[in-house]
Each structure stands twice: as structure tokens, then as C-alpha cells.
Amino acid sequence: QKEVEQDPGPLSVPEGAIVSLNCTYSNSAFQYFMWYRQYSRKGPELLMYTYSSGNKEDGRFTAQVDKSSKYISLFIRDSQPSDSATYLCAMSHASGGSYIPTFGRGTSLIVHP
Amino acid sequence: DGGITQSPKYLFRKEGQNVTLSCEQNLNHDAMYWYRQDPGQGLRLIYYSQIVNDFQKGDIAEGYSVSREKKESFPLTVTSAQKNPTAFYLCASSSRDRDGDEAFFGQGTRLTVV
């Protein structure tokens, strides 16, 4: 079992839909949770960063962390065609003084007009 | 503007050659990382460095080497020992100056063996 599981999709939704992207993980030591957006042939761009459990909102994006279930989510409201990209979850914990991110495989999102 | 610069954007390597990928950051970050990305496999850690003159192997270090002589620079050499080097290579850095940190990425180098 991989440490971080993420459904690769693709996930196809109409413009304006609410999108839910999810990851599960097995290592209960993870404390820091990130979501990245990656357009084709580009480097990942950090979208959201959350420490421990709870919700965090930034514009149309909401990140949720449920440590008891080892489950994190990213919600995108009023999705736009420009949101079409691969979304990567990542998480880390302190290990020997470093916080090395472990990534999911990424979910491909397609928002069609 | 602060950021991470990877060069070149595209790189072609002949069989048996070593090639070096450049990664420079002006974010004053202590930690730097190299990841490899293959279709459908996500990001896999090659090497990381938490401080100048120190680096550690990641999950797939075989066939790769790195150096960290300056805080700003973390070049990756893909050696001829790497059996399947064609991939998208991503460099990242993070600050490590608070309780955990987030990693910021460069725009990647696409390496192709010809």
C-alpha cells in the first residue's frame, strides 16, 4: 500500500460545478498537508497548505483535513475551464529534522464549458 | 522576483552520457529537493538536502548524483548508470524556518534519451 493514495481520474465536470478531490494516507505521523495544481508540462503550483485537522478557505478553494480518518479533501466551487489541470496532494512530518513532502499520484481534472 | 529556476527546459541525452540539470533558488531556503515525475506515477524523491554540503538519498537515488556547495544551488547529474532516465525532473525548495513548511517548485526539465 502506498503511503498516499489518490485516484488519478480523469474527473470531468461541467463549468460551474463543485469539485471534490480527495486523498487518503496511512502514516498517522503526517501533520502538514498541501494541495498543488499542475498544468501540463509545468511545475506544480502550491494552492493550499494546512497544518493538522480542520478547514482552510481561500477564494473558491477549501481544504479539509480529517486526521482521525486519514483523509484530506480539496473543494473547488464554481469550477472554471481554467481549473483544468492535475491536482496533487502532498503531506509531510518531521523526520530527523526535515519535512520531506510525500506526494499522491495526482488527479486529472477536466472542466468543460 | 523570488523563485526557483531550472535549466534547461528541455534536454536530450545520448546513451552513455552524463548530463547535469541546474536548479537555482533565490528564496533563501535551506532545504532543496529533486523529484522525478513519470506519467501515472506521481512525484518520486531522488535526493534532498537540508543544508549546504549535506544531502541524502531519496527513494530512487540510483544512477543520480547531486552536490550542494552553495545554499542557492542544487544541481542534479543523471549518470549513464541510470537505466531509464527519460522523465520530467522537478526541483523544489522549502524554508524549514517554522513548524513544518511547504515546498515550492521550479518549472521542470524534460530529459529525453535519444
Side-chain angles (χ1 to χ4, degrees):
Chain A
Q1 181 191 11
K2 283 179 175 280
E3 271 197 304
V4 180
E5 297 280 0
Q6 186 176 11
D7 187 332
L11 177 62
S12 181
V13 301
E15 183 175 355
I18 297 175
V19 175
S20 173
L21 303 165
N22 311 294
C23 288
T24 59
Y25 62 93
S26 57
N27 188 344
S28 58
F30 285 135
Q31 301 169 285
Y32 307 97
F33 304 91
M34 293 150 278
W35 285 96
Y36 290 85
R37 177 175 62 197
Q38 186 177 25
Y39 293 112
S40 181
R41 299 178 182 272
K42 301 289 187 183
E45 169 194 10
L46 181 67
L47 281 177
M48 302 286 282
Y49 175 77
T50 309
Y51 170 68
S52 194
S53 285
N55 294 359
K56 185 173 183 179
E57 188 172 324
D58 184 1
R60 296 185 295 113
F61 299 92
T62 299
Q64 286 186 352
V65 175
D66 182 348
K67 291 191 72 178
S68 62
S69 301
K70 298 191 182 68
Y71 188 88
I72 69 170
S73 301
L74 177 70
F75 297 96
I76 307 174
R77 292 183 297 279
D78 188 24
S79 56
Q80 303 295 311
S82 59
D83 294 327
S84 299
T86 296
Y87 289 79
L88 298 155
C89 65
M91 45 201 78
S92 65
H93 64 92
S95 175
S98 61
Y99 298 83
I100 304 165
T102 300
F103 285 83
R105 294 170 60 191
T107 298
S108 175
L109 172 66
I110 301 167
V111 181
H112 51 86
Chain B
D1 285 332
I4 301 173
T5 302
Q6 289 187 243
S7 62
K9 189 172 180 180
Y10 299 97
L11 187 57
F12 297 89
R13 191 194 93 170
K14 292 183 179 179
E15 295 277 357
Q17 276 186 339
N18 292 355
V19 291
T20 298
L21 284 58
S22 171
C23 178
E24 303 277 333
Q25 54 98 358
N26 60 4
L27 300 168
N28 199 33
H29 285 172
D30 288 311
M32 297 187 74
Y33 313 86
W34 275 105
Y35 288 89
R36 169 179 171 145
Q37 187 174 34
D38 295 281
Q41 293 201 44
L43 275 66
R44 292 184 290 169
L45 183 66
I46 304 173
Y47 268 98
Y48 67 97
S49 169
Q50 300 178 64
I51 197 168
V52 174
N53 292 322
D54 184 62
F55 49 83
Q56 306 295 327
K57 292 182 179 180
D59 300 319
I60 55 164
E62 185 175 351
Y64 300 97
S65 66
V66 293
S67 63
R68 187 84 187 277
E69 298 176 0
K70 298 186 299 181
K71 187 176 185 178
E72 302 79 20
S73 179
F74 191 40
L76 173 74
T77 297
V78 184
T79 75
S80 56
Q82 170 51 235
K83 300 302 182 191
N84 184 22
T86 295
F88 190 45
Y89 290 87
L90 288 160
C91 178
S93 70
S94 61
S95 61
R96 295 186 63 240
D97 62 1
R98 50 189 242 199
D99 294 337
D101 51 23
E102 60 269 46
F104 295 90
F105 283 85
Q107 289 303 297
T109 293
R110 187 165 298 278
L111 173 63
T112 304
V113 173
V114 295

PDB file of all heavy atoms in Angstrom, chain B residues 46-73:
ATOM      1  N   ILE B  46      14.286  11.855  -5.453  1.00  0.00           N
ATOM      2  CA  ILE B  46      15.600  11.350  -5.866  1.00  0.00           C
ATOM      3  C   ILE B  46      16.639  11.651  -4.789  1.00  0.00           C
ATOM      4  O   ILE B  46      17.299  10.752  -4.263  1.00  0.00           O
ATOM      5  CB  ILE B  46      16.036  11.987  -7.198  1.00  0.00           C
ATOM      6  CG1 ILE B  46      14.985  11.753  -8.280  1.00  0.00           C
ATOM      7  CG2 ILE B  46      17.374  11.398  -7.650  1.00  0.00           C
ATOM      8  CD1 ILE B  46      15.271  12.509  -9.580  1.00  0.00           C
ATOM      9  N   TYR B  47      16.818  12.920  -4.472  1.00  0.00           N
ATOM     10  CA  TYR B  47      17.748  13.368  -3.448  1.00  0.00           C
ATOM     11  C   TYR B  47      17.159  14.588  -2.758  1.00  0.00           C
ATOM     12  O   TYR B  47      16.352  15.296  -3.336  1.00  0.00           O
ATOM     13  CB  TYR B  47      19.098  13.786  -4.072  1.00  0.00           C
ATOM     14  CG  TYR B  47      20.148  12.706  -4.151  1.00  0.00           C
ATOM     15  CD1 TYR B  47      20.334  11.998  -5.332  1.00  0.00           C
ATOM     16  CD2 TYR B  47      20.960  12.410  -3.067  1.00  0.00           C
ATOM     17  CE1 TYR B  47      21.305  11.013  -5.430  1.00  0.00           C
ATOM     18  CE2 TYR B  47      21.941  11.431  -3.148  1.00  0.00           C
ATOM     19  CZ  TYR B  47      22.103  10.731  -4.340  1.00  0.00           C
ATOM     20  OH  TYR B  47      23.071   9.762  -4.429  1.00  0.00           O
ATOM     21  N   TYR B  48      17.619  14.838  -1.535  1.00  0.00           N
ATOM     22  CA  TYR B  48      17.271  16.074  -0.870  1.00  0.00           C
ATOM     23  C   TYR B  48      18.444  16.562  -0.041  1.00  0.00           C
ATOM     24  O   TYR B  48      19.332  15.794   0.324  1.00  0.00           O
ATOM     25  CB  TYR B  48      16.011  15.918  -0.008  1.00  0.00           C
ATOM     26  CG  TYR B  48      16.148  15.012   1.184  1.00  0.00           C
ATOM     27  CD1 TYR B  48      16.403  15.511   2.454  1.00  0.00           C
ATOM     28  CD2 TYR B  48      15.982  13.637   1.039  1.00  0.00           C
ATOM     29  CE1 TYR B  48      16.505  14.671   3.543  1.00  0.00           C
ATOM     30  CE2 TYR B  48      16.087  12.785   2.132  1.00  0.00           C
ATOM     31  CZ  TYR B  48      16.336  13.307   3.381  1.00  0.00           C
ATOM     32  OH  TYR B  48      16.434  12.476   4.465  1.00  0.00           O
ATOM     33  N   SER B  49      18.417  17.853   0.237  1.00  0.00           N
ATOM     34  CA  SER B  49      19.481  18.487   1.007  1.00  0.00           C
ATOM     35  C   SER B  49      18.841  19.471   1.988  1.00  0.00           C
ATOM     36  O   SER B  49      18.014  20.291   1.608  1.00  0.00           O
ATOM     37  CB  SER B  49      20.430  19.234   0.075  1.00  0.00           C
ATOM     38  OG  SER B  49      21.313  20.060   0.802  1.00  0.00           O
ATOM     39  N   GLN B  50      19.240  19.352   3.236  1.00  0.00           N
ATOM     40  CA  GLN B  50      18.686  20.242   4.259  1.00  0.00           C
ATOM     41  C   GLN B  50      19.597  21.427   4.541  1.00  0.00           C
ATOM     42  O   GLN B  50      19.169  22.427   5.137  1.00  0.00           O
ATOM     43  CB  GLN B  50      18.483  19.475   5.558  1.00  0.00           C
ATOM     44  CG  GLN B  50      17.540  18.301   5.446  1.00  0.00           C
ATOM     45  CD  GLN B  50      17.438  17.560   6.765  1.00  0.00           C
ATOM     46  OE1 GLN B  50      16.971  18.101   7.744  1.00  0.00           O
ATOM     47  NE2 GLN B  50      17.877  16.312   6.783  1.00  0.00           N
ATOM     48  N   ILE B  51      20.870  21.295   4.131  1.00  0.00           N
ATOM     49  CA  ILE B  51      21.830  22.334   4.451  1.00  0.00           C
ATOM     50  C   ILE B  51      23.003  22.208   3.488  1.00  0.00           C
ATOM     51  O   ILE B  51      23.218  21.134   2.896  1.00  0.00           O
ATOM     52  CB  ILE B  51      22.295  22.193   5.927  1.00  0.00           C
ATOM     53  CG1 ILE B  51      22.947  23.468   6.428  1.00  0.00           C
ATOM     54  CG2 ILE B  51      23.170  20.981   6.097  1.00  0.00           C
ATOM     55  CD1 ILE B  51      23.145  23.479   7.925  1.00  0.00           C
ATOM     56  N   VAL B  52      23.742  23.281   3.352  1.00  0.00           N
ATOM     57  CA  VAL B  52      24.897  23.271   2.449  1.00  0.00           C
ATOM     58  C   VAL B  52      25.870  22.163   2.840  1.00  0.00           C
ATOM     59  O   VAL B  52      26.073  21.876   4.016  1.00  0.00           O
ATOM     60  CB  VAL B  52      25.594  24.650   2.486  1.00  0.00           C
ATOM     61  CG1 VAL B  52      26.873  24.626   1.664  1.00  0.00           C
ATOM     62  CG2 VAL B  52      24.672  25.727   1.967  1.00  0.00           C
ATOM     63  N   ASN B  53      26.436  21.524   1.814  1.00  0.00           N
ATOM     64  CA  ASN B  53      27.433  20.453   1.969  1.00  0.00           C
ATOM     65  C   ASN B  53      26.881  19.188   2.613  1.00  0.00           C
ATOM     66  O   ASN B  53      27.649  18.361   3.126  1.00  0.00           O
ATOM     67  CB  ASN B  53      28.651  20.945   2.755  1.00  0.00           C
ATOM     68  CG  ASN B  53      29.451  21.976   1.980  1.00  0.00           C
ATOM     69  OD1 ASN B  53      29.600  21.864   0.766  1.00  0.00           O
ATOM     70  ND2 ASN B  53      29.949  22.983   2.667  1.00  0.00           N
ATOM     71  N   ASP B  54      25.566  19.047   2.585  1.00  0.00           N
ATOM     72  CA  ASP B  54      24.952  17.822   3.097  1.00  0.00           C
ATOM     73  C   ASP B  54      23.770  17.453   2.218  1.00  0.00           C
ATOM     74  O   ASP B  54      22.977  18.325   1.837  1.00  0.00           O
ATOM     75  CB  ASP B  54      24.489  18.010   4.535  1.00  0.00           C
ATOM     76  CG  ASP B  54      23.928  16.711   5.102  1.00  0.00           C
ATOM     77  OD1 ASP B  54      24.673  15.719   5.192  1.00  0.00           O
ATOM     78  OD2 ASP B  54      22.727  16.688   5.435  1.00  0.00           O
ATOM     79  N   PHE B  55      23.636  16.179   1.880  1.00  0.00           N
ATOM     80  CA  PHE B  55      22.482  15.719   1.113  1.00  0.00           C
ATOM     81  C   PHE B  55      22.238  14.248   1.419  1.00  0.00           C
ATOM     82  O   PHE B  55      23.134  13.539   1.897  1.00  0.00           O
ATOM     83  CB  PHE B  55      22.681  15.937  -0.395  1.00  0.00           C
ATOM     84  CG  PHE B  55      23.998  15.453  -0.937  1.00  0.00           C
ATOM     85  CD1 PHE B  55      24.196  14.124  -1.275  1.00  0.00           C
ATOM     86  CD2 PHE B  55      25.057  16.348  -1.115  1.00  0.00           C
ATOM     87  CE1 PHE B  55      25.417  13.690  -1.792  1.00  0.00           C
ATOM     88  CE2 PHE B  55      26.268  15.924  -1.631  1.00  0.00           C
ATOM     89  CZ  PHE B  55      26.448  14.594  -1.962  1.00  0.00           C
ATOM     90  N   GLN B  56      21.004  13.836   1.173  1.00  0.00           N
ATOM     91  CA  GLN B  56      20.581  12.476   1.488  1.00  0.00           C
ATOM     92  C   GLN B  56      19.898  11.839   0.288  1.00  0.00           C
ATOM     93  O   GLN B  56      19.232  12.533  -0.491  1.00  0.00           O
ATOM     94  CB  GLN B  56      19.595  12.475   2.664  1.00  0.00           C
ATOM     95  CG  GLN B  56      20.098  13.183   3.914  1.00  0.00           C
ATOM     96  CD  GLN B  56      21.289  12.508   4.530  1.00  0.00           C
ATOM     97  OE1 GLN B  56      21.423  11.287   4.469  1.00  0.00           O
ATOM     98  NE2 GLN B  56      22.181  13.284   5.122  1.00  0.00           N
ATOM     99  N   LYS B  57      20.012  10.525   0.175  1.00  0.00           N
ATOM    100  CA  LYS B  57      19.324   9.806  -0.893  1.00  0.00           C
ATOM    101  C   LYS B  57      17.833   9.749  -0.608  1.00  0.00           C
ATOM    102  O   LYS B  57      17.412   9.590   0.541  1.00  0.00           O
ATOM    103  CB  LYS B  57      19.874   8.384  -1.004  1.00  0.00           C
ATOM    104  CG  LYS B  57      21.299   8.316  -1.509  1.00  0.00           C
ATOM    105  CD  LYS B  57      21.751   6.863  -1.637  1.00  0.00           C
ATOM    106  CE  LYS B  57      23.173   6.792  -2.179  1.00  0.00           C
ATOM    107  NZ  LYS B  57      23.642   5.392  -2.309  1.00  0.00           N
ATOM    108  N   GLY B  58      17.065   9.829  -1.678  1.00  0.00           N
ATOM    109  CA  GLY B  58      15.637   9.615  -1.593  1.00  0.00           C
ATOM    110  C   GLY B  58      15.301   8.189  -1.980  1.00  0.00           C
ATOM    111  O   GLY B  58      16.110   7.275  -1.856  1.00  0.00           O
ATOM    112  N   ASP B  59      14.103   8.007  -2.509  1.00  0.00           N
ATOM    113  CA  ASP B  59      13.608   6.658  -2.811  1.00  0.00           C
ATOM    114  C   ASP B  59      14.224   6.050  -4.070  1.00  0.00           C
ATOM    115  O   ASP B  59      14.262   4.829  -4.210  1.00  0.00           O
ATOM    116  CB  ASP B  59      12.085   6.705  -2.974  1.00  0.00           C
ATOM    117  CG  ASP B  59      11.399   7.208  -1.715  1.00  0.00           C
ATOM    118  OD1 ASP B  59      11.824   6.810  -0.613  1.00  0.00           O
ATOM    119  OD2 ASP B  59      10.442   7.994  -1.843  1.00  0.00           O
ATOM    120  N   ILE B  60      14.680   6.895  -4.992  1.00  0.00           N
ATOM    121  CA  ILE B  60      15.158   6.376  -6.287  1.00  0.00           C
ATOM    122  C   ILE B  60      16.489   7.016  -6.666  1.00  0.00           C
ATOM    123  O   ILE B  60      16.679   7.495  -7.775  1.00  0.00           O
ATOM    124  CB  ILE B  60      14.106   6.589  -7.402  1.00  0.00           C
ATOM    125  CG1 ILE B  60      13.704   8.069  -7.506  1.00  0.00           C
ATOM    126  CG2 ILE B  60      12.868   5.738  -7.154  1.00  0.00           C
ATOM    127  CD1 ILE B  60      12.976   8.398  -8.805  1.00  0.00           C
ATOM    128  N   ALA B  61      17.472   7.000  -5.778  1.00  0.00           N
ATOM    129  CA  ALA B  61      18.739   7.714  -5.988  1.00  0.00           C
ATOM    130  C   ALA B  61      19.697   7.018  -6.952  1.00  0.00           C
ATOM    131  O   ALA B  61      20.632   7.646  -7.463  1.00  0.00           O
ATOM    132  CB  ALA B  61      19.423   7.926  -4.651  1.00  0.00           C
ATOM    133  N   GLU B  62      19.499   5.743  -7.218  1.00  0.00           N
ATOM    134  CA  GLU B  62      20.452   5.005  -8.043  1.00  0.00           C
ATOM    135  C   GLU B  62      20.557   5.602  -9.440  1.00  0.00           C
ATOM    136  O   GLU B  62      19.547   5.813 -10.114  1.00  0.00           O
ATOM    137  CB  GLU B  62      20.039   3.533  -8.145  1.00  0.00           C
ATOM    138  CG  GLU B  62      21.056   2.682  -8.893  1.00  0.00           C
ATOM    139  CD  GLU B  62      20.704   1.204  -8.897  1.00  0.00           C
ATOM    140  OE1 GLU B  62      19.767   0.817  -8.172  1.00  0.00           O
ATOM    141  OE2 GLU B  62      21.371   0.449  -9.622  1.00  0.00           O
ATOM    142  N   GLY B  63      21.811   5.864  -9.862  1.00  0.00           N
ATOM    143  CA  GLY B  63      22.033   6.432 -11.189  1.00  0.00           C
ATOM    144  C   GLY B  63      22.035   7.953 -11.218  1.00  0.00           C
ATOM    145  O   GLY B  63      22.165   8.546 -12.289  1.00  0.00           O
ATOM    146  N   TYR B  64      21.884   8.577 -10.056  1.00  0.00           N
ATOM    147  CA  TYR B  64      21.877  10.030  -9.934  1.00  0.00           C
ATOM    148  C   TYR B  64      22.938  10.474  -8.927  1.00  0.00           C
ATOM    149  O   TYR B  64      23.310   9.727  -8.033  1.00  0.00           O
ATOM    150  CB  TYR B  64      20.518  10.537  -9.452  1.00  0.00           C
ATOM    151  CG  TYR B  64      19.356  10.200 -10.340  1.00  0.00           C
ATOM    152  CD1 TYR B  64      18.548   9.095 -10.074  1.00  0.00           C
ATOM    153  CD2 TYR B  64      19.057  10.988 -11.446  1.00  0.00           C
ATOM    154  CE1 TYR B  64      17.472   8.786 -10.880  1.00  0.00           C
ATOM    155  CE2 TYR B  64      17.974  10.684 -12.260  1.00  0.00           C
ATOM    156  CZ  TYR B  64      17.181   9.585 -11.970  1.00  0.00           C
ATOM    157  OH  TYR B  64      16.115   9.291 -12.779  1.00  0.00           O
ATOM    158  N   SER B  65      23.410  11.711  -9.076  1.00  0.00           N
ATOM    159  CA  SER B  65      24.276  12.310  -8.061  1.00  0.00           C
ATOM    160  C   SER B  65      23.960  13.791  -7.947  1.00  0.00           C
ATOM    161  O   SER B  65      23.411  14.394  -8.880  1.00  0.00           O
ATOM    162  CB  SER B  65      25.759  12.109  -8.400  1.00  0.00           C
ATOM    163  OG  SER B  65      26.096  12.818  -9.578  1.00  0.00           O
ATOM    164  N   VAL B  66      24.262  14.356  -6.785  1.00  0.00           N
ATOM    165  CA  VAL B  66      23.984  15.765  -6.532  1.00  0.00           C
ATOM    166  C   VAL B  66      25.158  16.388  -5.788  1.00  0.00           C
ATOM    167  O   VAL B  66      26.046  15.699  -5.285  1.00  0.00           O
ATOM    168  CB  VAL B  66      22.706  15.966  -5.689  1.00  0.00           C
ATOM    169  CG1 VAL B  66      21.458  15.535  -6.454  1.00  0.00           C
ATOM    170  CG2 VAL B  66      22.815  15.239  -4.360  1.00  0.00           C
ATOM    171  N   SER B  67      25.141  17.706  -5.707  1.00  0.00           N
ATOM    172  CA  SER B  67      26.071  18.445  -4.863  1.00  0.00           C
ATOM    173  C   SER B  67      25.333  19.635  -4.285  1.00  0.00           C
ATOM    174  O   SER B  67      24.324  20.083  -4.832  1.00  0.00           O
ATOM    175  CB  SER B  67      27.298  18.907  -5.651  1.00  0.00           C
ATOM    176  OG  SER B  67      26.916  19.803  -6.685  1.00  0.00           O
ATOM    177  N   ARG B  68      25.813  20.135  -3.156  1.00  0.00           N
ATOM    178  CA  ARG B  68      25.202  21.317  -2.539  1.00  0.00           C
ATOM    179  C   ARG B  68      26.326  22.178  -1.964  1.00  0.00           C
ATOM    180  O   ARG B  68      26.548  22.249  -0.775  1.00  0.00           O
ATOM    181  CB  ARG B  68      24.228  20.906  -1.448  1.00  0.00           C
ATOM    182  CG  ARG B  68      23.430  22.076  -0.878  1.00  0.00           C
ATOM    183  CD  ARG B  68      22.241  22.439  -1.648  1.00  0.00           C
ATOM    184  NE  ARG B  68      21.556  23.643  -1.208  1.00  0.00           N
ATOM    185  CZ  ARG B  68      20.674  23.701  -0.226  1.00  0.00           C
ATOM    186  NH1 ARG B  68      20.390  22.627   0.477  1.00  0.00           N
ATOM    187  NH2 ARG B  68      20.088  24.854   0.067  1.00  0.00           N
ATOM    188  N   GLU B  69      27.034  22.829  -2.861  1.00  0.00           N
ATOM    189  CA  GLU B  69      28.161  23.674  -2.464  1.00  0.00           C
ATOM    190  C   GLU B  69      27.726  25.069  -2.063  1.00  0.00           C
ATOM    191  O   GLU B  69      28.439  25.770  -1.337  1.00  0.00           O
ATOM    192  CB  GLU B  69      29.185  23.720  -3.587  1.00  0.00           C
ATOM    193  CG  GLU B  69      29.787  22.362  -3.910  1.00  0.00           C
ATOM    194  CD  GLU B  69      30.744  22.406  -5.088  1.00  0.00           C
ATOM    195  OE1 GLU B  69      30.932  23.502  -5.659  1.00  0.00           O
ATOM    196  OE2 GLU B  69      31.276  21.347  -5.449  1.00  0.00           O
ATOM    197  N   LYS B  70      26.581  25.492  -2.555  1.00  0.00           N
ATOM    198  CA  LYS B  70      26.035  26.799  -2.218  1.00  0.00           C
ATOM    199  C   LYS B  70      24.586  26.636  -1.806  1.00  0.00           C
ATOM    200  O   LYS B  70      23.888  25.743  -2.298  1.00  0.00           O
ATOM    201  CB  LYS B  70      26.115  27.751  -3.423  1.00  0.00           C
ATOM    202  CG  LYS B  70      27.494  28.050  -3.917  1.00  0.00           C
ATOM    203  CD  LYS B  70      27.462  29.112  -4.994  1.00  0.00           C
ATOM    204  CE  LYS B  70      26.660  28.670  -6.192  1.00  0.00           C
ATOM    205  NZ  LYS B  70      26.647  29.715  -7.263  1.00  0.00           N
ATOM    206  N   LYS B  71      24.109  27.518  -0.957  1.00  0.00           N
ATOM    207  CA  LYS B  71      22.728  27.438  -0.494  1.00  0.00           C
ATOM    208  C   LYS B  71      21.749  27.573  -1.653  1.00  0.00           C
ATOM    209  O   LYS B  71      20.693  26.971  -1.662  1.00  0.00           O
ATOM    210  CB  LYS B  71      22.476  28.551   0.526  1.00  0.00           C
ATOM    211  CG  LYS B  71      21.130  28.490   1.214  1.00  0.00           C
ATOM    212  CD  LYS B  71      21.021  29.579   2.278  1.00  0.00           C
ATOM    213  CE  LYS B  71      19.725  29.445   3.057  1.00  0.00           C
ATOM    214  NZ  LYS B  71      19.645  30.474   4.129  1.00  0.00           N
ATOM    215  N   GLU B  72      22.122  28.379  -2.653  1.00  0.00           N
ATOM    216  CA  GLU B  72      21.201  28.702  -3.734  1.00  0.00           C
ATOM    217  C   GLU B  72      21.120  27.618  -4.798  1.00  0.00           C
ATOM    218  O   GLU B  72      20.219  27.649  -5.638  1.00  0.00           O
ATOM    219  CB  GLU B  72      21.634  30.003  -4.419  1.00  0.00           C
ATOM    220  CG  GLU B  72      21.728  31.207  -3.510  1.00  0.00           C
ATOM    221  CD  GLU B  72      22.992  31.234  -2.674  1.00  0.00           C
ATOM    222  OE1 GLU B  72      23.971  30.537  -3.047  1.00  0.00           O
ATOM    223  OE2 GLU B  72      23.005  31.925  -1.648  1.00  0.00           O
ATOM    224  N   SER B  73      22.071  26.685  -4.819  1.00  0.00           N
ATOM    225  CA  SER B  73      22.206  25.806  -5.967  1.00  0.00           C
ATOM    226  C   SER B  73      22.210  24.332  -5.572  1.00  0.00           C
ATOM    227  O   SER B  73      22.876  23.942  -4.602  1.00  0.00           O
ATOM    228  CB  SER B  73      23.526  26.152  -6.685  1.00  0.00           C
ATOM    229  OG  SER B  73      23.729  25.318  -7.785  1.00  0.00           O
TER     230      SER B  73
END
